[in-house]
Amino acid sequence: MRNDENTIICRCEDLTLARLRQLIAEGYTTLDEIKRISRAGMGPCQGRTCRALIEREIANLTGTPIKDQPPAKYRQPCQPVKLAAILGGEPHAKDS
Amino acid sequence: MQKTADAVIVGGGVNGVSIAYNLAKRGMRNVCVIERDYLASGSTGRCGAGVRAQWGTEMNLRMSMASVRMFENMNEELAYDDDIEFNQGGYLLLAYSDEGFEQFKKNVALQRAHGLEVDLLTAAEAKEIVPHLNIEGLVGATYCPTDGHCNPFKVTDAYAKAARRLGAKIYTNTTVTGIRKENGCVCGVETTRGYISAPVVVNAAGGYSQDVAAMVGLEIPTYSERHQILVTEPVEPLQKPMVMSFHHNIYCQQSPHGSFIMGLGDPTEKPGYNIEASWQFLQEMAEKITWLLPPLRHLRVVRQWAGLYNMTPDRTPILGPVDEVEGFYLAVGFSGHGFMLAPAVGVLLAQSILGQETPIPLEPMNLSRFARGELFHEPSVV
Ligand SMILES: Cc1cc2nc3c(=O)[nH]c(=O)nc-3n(C[C@H](O)[C@H](O)[C@H](O)COP(=O)(O)OP(=O)(O)OC[C@H]3O[C@@H](n4cnc5c(N)ncnc54)[C@H](O)[C@@H]3O)c2cc1C
């Protein structure tokens, strides 16, 4: 197995570095496009780990520095929250 | 960028790429799609991904039934190197009034007459299909097992790749800024990357269709409206069908990936282009869904967003040529169900543009229906 095949970029959605490189090579060259085609950044952590890694890999492979890449939108809620907690029926604790 | 084309399609949503593929497949050499941002960046990439044939007007019914058949074979038809993730878990539609249930009976009669496998259910039967459904006040339901869910990014990607293989060109990050016409015929489009002359221009601009129509001096009765939606963390399979209540104006489906996707229509929403998500939606959604499907209260919301419905006065799309400008075609006003119709829309528009006979007549869906006063009355929209 190649090294990049067991390097996980998005832990929530199991995107490997190999797959990410393949997607960039196919022409998905922005964070938003990669998110939408691969689900990277759509899991419980909402991209907290993978965003920066993906942006760096795009920069490496396309030559577009991170500061010139279109930023992807941050969406609410900023932390996963139970529907019951939104209704106030249940405390919102991290480990609940 | 190229200087001429046989047809220019404005908008790289699912409908734009479906039309492009179908034109190229039918032999049109020089087709191009112009997309302001990236593919599926508009409504397509923001939609609930639901696919159903349970409609109340013959046109929506026939187009959606044809589309379901195309989704079933799409990976093969488009030789897709990935998977469009079409999952047919059914749609359970709920009626909370005798009136609503009477309408369902009419819908089912029409649907069966067209060969759709669909059942009229009592509240108890509905609960057998979705055991965690709260049936308080429920009068009855309908269920169609071949309805379901499909990945809109992948469908768009599949059409785009197939269209490109057939020679179509897709320009992203390119905006159409004007459309030129001469003697009542379109002659080309101005873009941020130059002018392309073309005898055919297709307006597939989703939430911006009215703006693109205005570029040829055409006023169309479409307008846009924000619709909000959320998704939860993925969990074990719990709910097979989409559950939809026109009374509560909500829908909720577990995607094949395990997450629950749910949205609602807000009758107080004003026409406009706002696509920001609001906390009010989160509150209202939580209230309604935990009443209807109580165990979902334990699920965590991971993300909420919004997109535009491009609405028409009769909540039915406007498709085909227009009398006012030759060479200008519309595929607009999908009123919240334009993802599921896209396979049929692509075929019908391509045939219409190429002067071929369409298996489903397009005239009733033309823009001129509004002048003629021949509107549809689609009863089944959230
Ligand atoms: C929250 C929500 C839930 C939905 N749920 C469902 C569902 O479950 N099932 C279903 O079938 N439908 C659903 N819909 C509706 C569906 O998303 C749309 O009907 C469908 O995606 C329309 O596709 P389209 O290709 O016509 O438009 P879009 O996907 O909006 O594509 C139009 C494209 O045109 C581009 N564009 C606009 N103006 C210009 C210009 N001047 N130059 C270049 N490009 C331009 C835009 O950037 C956009 O990408 C939902 C919509 C929303 C918002």
Side-chain angles (χ1 to χ4, degrees), chain A residues 13 19 26 28 30 32-33 35-37 39 41-44 46 73 75-77 79-87 89-90 93-96, chain B residues 38 40-41 45-46 80-82 153-154 157 161 234 257 259 262 276-278 282-283 286-287 289-290 296-305:
Chain A
E13 301 289 344
R19 176 81 181 129
E26 280 181 27
Y28 305 93
T30 61
D32 260 329
E33 287 168 287
K35 171 181 160 189
R36 290 180 178 214
I37 199 74
R39 309 193 52 86
M42 289 196 184
Q46 288 293 294
K73 174 119 180 149
R75 299 200 187 277
Q76 63 255 51
Q79 218 184 67
V81 48
K82 279 191 184 179
L83 284 161
I86 294 165
L87 293 175
E90 207 169 287
K94 261 199 177 140
D95 53 0
S96 70
Chain B
Y38 52 89
S41 59
R46 299 165 182 277
Y80 191 36
D81 59 359
D82 200 333
F153 309 117
K154 298 284 176 82
D157 190 49
K161 281 180 173 161
H257 163 267
S259 55
M262 56 189 87
E276 291 302 316
S278 75
L282 202 54
Q283 176 84 26
E287 277 165 19
I289 208 67
T290 56
L296 269 50
R297 60 187 288 110
H298 302 298
L299 295 184
R300 289 177 181 80
V301 178
V302 296
R303 186 169 64 255
Q304 60 170 127
W305 69 95

Side-chain angles (χ1 to χ4, degrees), chain B residues 326-337:
Chain B
E326 203 180 316
F328 191 65
Y329 289 80
L330 299 173
V332 304
F334 289 100
S335 306
H337 47 281

Side-chain angles (χ1 to χ4, degrees), chain B residues 10-16 34-36 41-44 46-50 174-176 204-206 208 212 227 229 251 307-309 334 336-340:
Chain B
V10 187
V14 68
N15 283 293
I34 312 286
E35 165 54 45
R36 174 165 55 202
S41 59
S43 303
T44 299
R46 299 165 182 277
C47 84
T174 310
T175 304
V176 171
Y208 301 87
V212 169
H227 278 249
I229 182 164
Y251 59 87
L308 298 175
Y309 275 21
F334 289 100
H337 47 281
F339 169 60
M340 65 182 81

